[in-house]
Amino acid sequence: MQYKVKDGDILGKKLGAIVVGLFEDDKKPEGLVKEIDKKLDGYLVELVAEKQLSASFKKVNKIHTLGKLEAKAIYFVGLGKKAELTFDKVREAFAVVAKVLAKEEQEEVAFALDTFLTGENAGELFAKALAEAIGLTSYRTETYKQKKESTSAIEKVVVYTELNQDMVEEALTVGYTYSAGTNLARALVNAPGNYMTPTDLAAKAKEIADRYGMDYSVLEREEMKKLGMGALLAVAEGSDQPPKMIVLKYRGKEKWENVLSFVGKGLTFDAGGISIKPALNMHEMKMDMGGAATVLGAMEVIGALKPDVNVMAVIPSTENLINGSALKPGDVITSLSGRTIEVRNTDAEGRLILADAVTYAKQLGADYLVDVATLTGAVIVALAGVSTGAVTNDEELMEDVLLAAGEAGEYLWRLPNFEPYKEMLRSSDVADLNNSPGREGGSITAGLFIGEFAEDTPWVHLDIAGTAWSRSDSVFGPKGGTGAMVRTLATLARNF
Ligand code: BES
Ligand code: MN
Ligand code: ZN
């Protein structure tokens, strides 16, 4: 997609479609809307009075100009009340109109940005919202049908504004880049398990590294054995696909210090292992590499925007399947950290591979850890598909992540980390830890299990089991992978 910023008269140009914001508060037309009304001989005001044209939030009304204006069509976007229009809400409104524009095959559109602004300071934020919304709604799920459906998309966007052109252009770039990172994560999640094995995931990570000059390395099974990554290897036993421990390093500072590390669960298919899942909806478990996808999406954004912070991605990847040598309930395994784990349930595999990944990240110099994982069904019971759940051992880092989520417009809610929850993990008679202490408080204990391996390194855990995947379309795109937390992680890194 192409972006251009222009100042000057949007009404003086021969354009296919222009997009104009309408506020409910503006009882009398002002500025551009007033000019349009004049050119339409007062007809616009009449339409509004007769409620044929509405300024209520997210209402889109198209009018054909029939030669009265240079532009062939104007799309009015209802924005509701000025005082209530936030970044999140204006992004939603932009998404709604972007969808209509794409559907009506308007490939080249001009936005009158200033008509959307609630005040002088809104420019940067709302320009970002605009590009993010258009980018997010442009995503199309890849299919493998013999006959591809053709879908139209907005190809060229011109933003008219009286604000500083460089500032607006920069904001558009940030918004667009955020959408690109999110869409990358969506595509990874949506890929079928046979197209997205641990080997494929590693290749995708390498593409990002090559694109932005990041360090790329991967551990193969033999090296994992030498290092003693008993937890990741144990899960991988049940699969014929070779496991991978994928590492990307983005060096935003001269020295490799103050390293912010993102650890993403890369389970490319989770059948549950011997503690096998029910068949119903098992196909959706191709999304169990959602954490890895989020981390890679964030690395894409970081590579493109180049903040001056060191960021390391660590992605443990394997399948969780069944064969004659698969991990069994009751098995005791030894993790990279030396801690032993009794595997009560082979379907609680995410925390096992993340345990080794967190220890490995620390060995590679991680100073701050954020792990992202489609970890528990329990988080969906607690928070539905609405909010990501967080667990932490560090108030300050938690605060930073919550602020980043707020800024990025993503829902995130913290779960408790009280001592008795940690005690529940020590309920094995034979090993240091029990990987499945029971249904109650399931997303808390799962998170805290990973926290055992973070030890005293500041750590935040994000459970995206409910948010990484949607069973219905949203204003921002089709059902399936959502790219949840990509923008939060990118924002966290840029603010760090
Ligand atoms: N990948 C699943 C969690 C999951 C559930 C992700 C639903 C997305 C949607 C995870 O590996 C798992 O199976 N967790 C178990 C843990 C239990 C056995 C302690 C669960 O949540 O049932
Ligand atoms: Mn599982
Ligand atoms: Zn899983």
Side-chain angles (χ1 to χ4, degrees):
M1 196 170 337
Q2 246 190 317
Y3 282 93
K4 235 195 238 157
V5 182
K6 283 190 183 166
D7 53 10
D9 181 19
I10 192 169
L11 298 182
K13 304 279 175 352
K14 283 230 174 300
L15 297 164
I18 65 177
V19 185
V20 176
L22 276 185
F23 283 104
E24 272 174 3
D25 332 49
D26 294 337
K27 291 292 169 240
K28 266 201 206 142
E30 306 262 358
L32 188 71
V33 179
K34 191 172 169 183
E35 273 180 66
I36 294 170
D37 183 56
K38 227 158 89 193
K39 295 209 168 172
L40 296 175
D41 308 320
Y43 206 70
L44 194 61
V45 169
E46 244 177 77
L47 286 175
V48 174
E50 290 167 10
K51 297 204 161 62
Q52 300 221 31
L53 212 149
S54 159
S56 49
F57 181 57
K58 285 200 290 191
K59 260 267 153 47
V60 174
N61 288 111
K62 175 190 185 180
I63 64 163
H64 296 278
T65 58
L66 307 177
K68 301 237 174 199
L69 283 132
E70 297 290 336
K72 287 252 162 63
I74 305 177
Y75 290 81
F76 289 100
V77 184
L79 299 172
K81 294 202 173 53
K82 242 180 209 164
E84 289 170 14
L85 191 66
T86 57
F87 168 77
D88 295 11
K89 286 183 76 183
V90 79
R91 185 176 58 181
E92 219 180 312
F94 281 133
V96 170
V97 71
K99 246 178 150 171
V100 174
L101 290 164
K103 207 166 158 200
E104 300 194 356
E105 296 182 34
Q106 299 283 4
E107 286 169 359
E108 230 183 289
V109 291
F111 281 81
L113 177 65
D114 300 352
T115 61
F116 288 83
L117 303 185
T118 51
E120 295 231 329
N121 305 324
E124 187 176 355
L125 216 53
F126 285 17
K128 174 171 175 266
L130 168 59
E132 200 173 296
I134 293 178
L136 287 173
T137 54
S138 75
Y139 176 76
R140 304 286 179 268
T141 310
E142 187 172 351
T143 69
Y144 303 82
K145 298 180 184 187
Q146 280 190 307
K147 204 160 166 258
K148 299 267 183 231
E149 286 158 42
S150 71
T151 49
S152 50
I154 303 172
E155 266 154 30
K156 225 175 121 194
V157 175
V158 189
V159 176
Y160 281 82
T161 179
E162 297 302 315
L163 298 174
N164 181 294
Q165 308 279 294
D166 291 340
M167 181 270 282
V168 172
E169 206 167 305
E170 169 71 20
L172 289 171
T173 302
V174 172
Y176 183 68
T177 306
Y178 274 33
S179 74
T182 307
N183 292 347
L184 183 141
R186 286 167 154 178
L188 294 180
V189 168
N190 287 333
N194 59 329
Y195 283 80
M196 190 51 61
T197 63
T199 305
D200 296 318
L201 192 62
K204 289 290 176 192
K206 183 161 190 303
E207 274 177 29
I208 295 169
D210 289 347
R211 191 149 59 235
Y212 300 111
M214 298 174 186
D215 299 353
Y216 165 86
S217 65
V218 64
L219 294 181
E220 304 292 341
R221 199 194 297 267
E222 283 313 310
E223 292 149 295
M224 295 176 195
K225 274 189 190 154
K226 268 186 223 146
L227 292 170
M229 290 188 176
L232 173 56
L233 284 167
V235 176
E237 273 300 310
S239 161
D240 288 345
Q241 290 292 336
K244 307 276 172 182
M245 182 68 88
I246 305 157
V247 178
L248 295 185
K249 285 181 187 165
Y250 166 79
R251 296 174 187 274
K253 285 183 200 275
E254 208 115 300
K255 277 196 183 150
W256 189 242
E257 59 187 14
N258 270 322
V259 179
L260 174 62
S261 183
F262 297 151
V263 181
K265 175 178 173 183
L267 231 300
T268 60
F269 188 75
D270 181 13
I274 300 281
S275 315
I276 194 166
K277 289 183 181 297
L280 187 71
N281 296 326
M282 198 205 271
H283 65 283
E284 288 183 341
M285 278 302 130
K286 67 176 185 181
M287 58 75 93
D288 211 17
M289 31 59 71
T294 292
V295 168
L296 291 178
M299 293 309 275
E300 168 77 27
V301 177
I302 289 161
L305 297 181
K306 309 215 175 319
D308 51 1
V309 52
N310 290 323
V311 186
M312 174 168 67
V314 177
I315 294 170
S317 186
T318 176
E319 297 177 322
N320 187 24
L321 297 182
I322 311 178
N323 62 21
S325 44
L327 181 65
K328 302 176 293 298
D331 284 359
V332 173
I333 58 180
T334 304
S335 66
L336 177 62
S337 74
R339 279 183 187 73
T340 57
I341 304 161
E342 181 187 357
V343 179
R344 291 276 181 96
N345 190 319
T346 65
D347 199 12
E349 84 298 334
R351 65 198 79 183
L352 300 178
I353 71 170
L354 287 162
D356 279 354
V358 161
T359 305
Y360 190 50
K362 284 177 48 155
Q363 290 180 356
L364 296 178
D367 295 296
Y368 303 90
L369 290 159
V370 180
D371 83 75
V372 195
T374 49
L375 203 67
T376 63
V379 83
I380 311 177
V381 175
L383 303 173
V386 173
S387 176
T388 296
V391 180
T392 189
N393 67 3
D394 189 85
E395 299 300 318
E396 243 176 277
L397 185 61
M398 187 70 248
E399 196 52 40
D400 290 346
V401 177
L402 285 168
L403 280 173
E407 213 179 292
E410 296 195 279
Y411 292 121
L412 178 61
W413 198 256
R414 187 182 166 178
L415 301 167
N417 59 3
F418 304 128
E419 207 52 47
Y421 293 115
K422 298 180 193 168
E423 273 311 309
M424 290 162 76
L425 298 169
R426 299 184 221 295
S427 53
S428 167
D429 299 328
V430 290
D432 297 326
L433 294 167
N434 170 356
N435 85 324
S436 183
R439 281 164 44 89
E440 295 175 4
S443 48
I444 301 166
T445 52
L448 290 172
F449 184 96
I450 300 166
E452 287 290 314
F453 298 84
E455 300 174 309
D456 49 12
T457 303
W459 155 83
V460 168
H461 159 71
L462 303 175
D463 193 337
I464 57 169
T467 49
W469 182 263
S470 170
R471 286 188 179 160
S472 53
D473 298 347
S474 81
V475 277
F476 295 111
K479 60 187 169 191
T482 61
M485 293 290 121
V486 167
R487 286 161 287 152
T488 295
L489 290 192
T491 305
L492 175 71
R494 295 177 66 227
N495 290 349
F496 218 65

